[in-house]
Amino acid sequence: MEECWRWYGPDFDRLTLPEIAQTGATGIVHALHEIPYGEVWSREAIAARKGQIEAAGFRWSVVESLPIHERIKRDDGDLSALFANYRQSMANLAAEGIEVICYNFMPVLDWTRTDLQAPLARGGTCLRFEAYRMAAFEIHMLGRAGAENDYSPEVCARAKAWFEASTEADRNALLHAIMSGLPGAFDRYDIDGLRGQLALYDGIGREEIRRNYKRFLEEVIPTAEELGIRMCVHPDDPPRDILGLPRVVSNAEDIAWILQAVESVANGLTLCTGSLGANPANDPAAIAAQFAARIHFAHLRNVKKDPDGSFEEAAHLGGDTDMVAVVKALLAEETRRVAEGRSDAVIPMRPDHGQELLSDIGRGTFPGYPLIGRMRGLAELRGVMAALAHG
């Protein structure tokens, strides 16, 4: 596998490319986060950023993400210009030799956590999703109708107790954490702003989201085939409906539906073991083996789950997912592709969300993306790959 590293760019990332070079990674996973959703990524902007990445000794291996405008997810009005812009951005990326595009189809929010610095037993911090705090946000802060039906009575009782004991600072910190999954420079929502965004999805259920997603695939996958681009959807994080919004990339059944909706090798999967692993019903290693032929990119991280639906970011080899089995499945797929003579035999991967450790603490890196924690994860994964290759 190609060892990659997510970098948010000079405007948003406190880590520099020379620092990242010391981790041993050779590929950069990057996006032009400064460009608003729905606008074209010009070839000039792509070439300039690619030149910066290559001057530091890296390859721009994967785009993460080329975002999908919310109107496409809602099927809101005339979408022809948005689809045309998306296809033009794809063409401009292909013209600069960038062939793997990761994206997601999560409505309104990207990854969602309630704690950005949950303490670890031996020091350091991690990202955490606490079910009762999310319930407190939905039921008592957002006032979403029917939210209590999405949580157990025990979680709802803890949510009520937390909210009644919370200060304004506590509630602001929770809102900040939930909004922090949105990438780039775009404004985070306040409570009223989030209510307004959710209202735009009134009457849009799972079947409507699936229908809109299928239209997106029908609009862009033929272009991907023409350009030699491999599109790969990122699973929902967490893999469950949230804020009353349907999520349709949460398990093996969802993935099978997506890959069959437009049957093409260009319509593929980003295997995120952390996102998928947060659902107790999912077996990330089995999903890796089942869909190996359509995996174009891998996020390797681990989570530790609690019975009430809470989870937190574990060490890369220390959570509930059998990471060795996942890596074994991916290496076997690479071997199969080499035997077929495929040009995409090597699967780019990156160590996903790391724990804040040592000099990471207090540095103010993007939540979930510290230096030391991810470098530890990359070293552990590199060791697994070396051991499996040795046999």
Side-chain angles (χ1 to χ4, degrees):
M1 283 185 278
E2 180 186 16
E3 296 179 5
C4 298
W5 191 275
R6 187 169 189 178
W7 180 56
Y8 281 90
D11 296 329
F12 307 119
D13 205 322
R14 292 183 181 270
L15 303 182
T16 66
L17 290 172
E19 285 180 294
I20 295 168
Q22 295 178 55
T23 69
T26 57
I28 290 293
V29 175
H30 181 64
L32 301 182
H33 293 296
E34 63 272 21
I35 298 178
Y37 289 16
E39 293 189 11
V40 173
W41 291 15
S42 72
R43 184 167 178 182
E44 293 75 17
I46 295 165
R49 190 57 52 80
K50 179 187 176 188
Q52 183 179 9
I53 290 168
E54 290 181 344
F58 295 97
R59 185 175 84 95
W60 188 353
S61 303
V62 180
V63 168
E64 185 181 349
S65 297
L66 183 58
I68 301 169
H69 199 281
E70 289 295 311
R71 285 181 53 213
I72 291 175
K73 298 174 189 177
R74 299 193 304 264
D75 190 25
D76 179 6
D78 181 2
L79 303 177
S80 55
L82 287 174
F83 283 126
N85 286 356
Y86 201 95
R87 289 190 292 265
Q88 186 60 58
S89 295
M90 293 169 64
N92 293 342
L93 287 163
E96 291 300 323
I98 301 165
E99 299 176 340
V100 180
I101 297 176
C102 172
Y103 68 96
N104 73 70
F105 213 80
M106 289 180 266
V108 180
L109 297 182
D110 204 307
W111 58 263
T112 305
R113 300 292 185 273
T114 60
D115 299 88
L116 302 181
Q117 294 179 316
L120 296 165
R122 301 187 67 184
T125 68
C126 68
L127 300 179
R128 181 170 174 83
F129 180 91
E130 191 74 70
Y132 77 85
R133 286 162 63 85
M134 192 68 201
F137 178 78
E138 293 205 61
I139 297 168
H140 301 288
M141 292 174 60
L142 194 61
R144 181 174 71 81
E148 63 278 3
N149 298 324
D150 293 341
Y151 298 92
S152 70
E154 293 78 14
V155 167
C156 289
R158 290 191 70 188
K160 185 174 186 292
W162 179 89
F163 179 75
E164 290 176 346
S166 66
T167 64
E168 183 178 359
D170 294 331
R171 296 189 288 273
N172 288 337
L174 178 56
L175 174 63
H176 172 72
I178 291 170
M179 290 297 108
S180 290
L182 292 170
F186 303 105
D187 291 338
R188 276 58 172 158
Y189 304 119
D190 59 15
I191 292 293
D192 287 338
L194 183 56
R195 285 180 183 136
Q197 289 297 310
L198 296 178
L200 296 174
Y201 279 86
D202 285 350
I204 299 177
R206 178 177 176 82
E207 291 310 309
E208 288 78 15
I209 293 287
R210 271 193 166 187
R211 181 194 65 212
N212 301 343
Y213 187 8
K214 187 172 190 291
R215 180 184 175 188
F216 168 77
L217 293 173
E218 291 168 343
E219 292 275 359
V220 305
I221 295 302
T223 299
E225 291 176 333
E226 293 169 8
L227 296 170
I229 279 178
R230 299 182 295 283
M231 302 290 293
C232 42
V233 65
H234 187 286
D236 303 324
D237 187 9
R240 47 162 286 185
D241 292 355
I242 200 164
L243 298 174
L245 298 171
R247 294 202 162 186
V248 297
V249 196
S250 291
N251 52 43
E253 187 256 335
D254 288 340
I255 294 167
W257 179 88
I258 292 161
L259 300 185
Q260 293 164 9
V262 176
E263 189 63 53
S264 169
V265 71
N267 178 24
L269 172 67
T270 295
L271 178 75
C272 182
T273 56
S275 297
L276 293 167
N279 184 339
N282 288 338
D283 180 346
I287 289 173
Q290 181 178 354
F291 300 107
R294 302 279 280 277
I295 293 172
H296 302 318
F297 181 33
H299 289 181
L300 300 183
R301 65 180 172 92
N302 223 319
V303 295
K304 182 171 63 176
K305 299 182 288 293
D306 296 334
D308 67 354
S310 303
F311 62 90
E312 68 182 27
E313 310 283 355
H316 285 70
L317 301 185
D320 298 332
T321 292
D322 185 345
M323 193 62 70
V324 175
V326 170
V327 173
K328 186 175 182 180
L330 294 174
L331 293 178
E333 173 59 18
E334 286 188 327
T335 299
R336 188 189 70 80
R337 294 182 190 184
V338 168
E340 289 186 351
R342 284 174 52 170
S343 61
D344 64 339
V346 177
I347 299 171
M349 74 84 175
R350 66 174 177 86
D352 204 359
H353 300 170
Q355 298 173 338
E356 273 199 346
L357 307 171
L358 303 171
S359 58
D360 286 335
I361 298 170
R363 186 170 181 184
T365 52
F366 198 88
Y369 292 91
L371 176 62
I372 303 299
R374 282 189 289 166
M375 185 166 67
R376 173 187 171 180
L378 179 58
E380 292 176 343
L381 295 167
R382 185 181 293 143
V384 170
M385 289 188 286
L388 289 171
H390 186 68

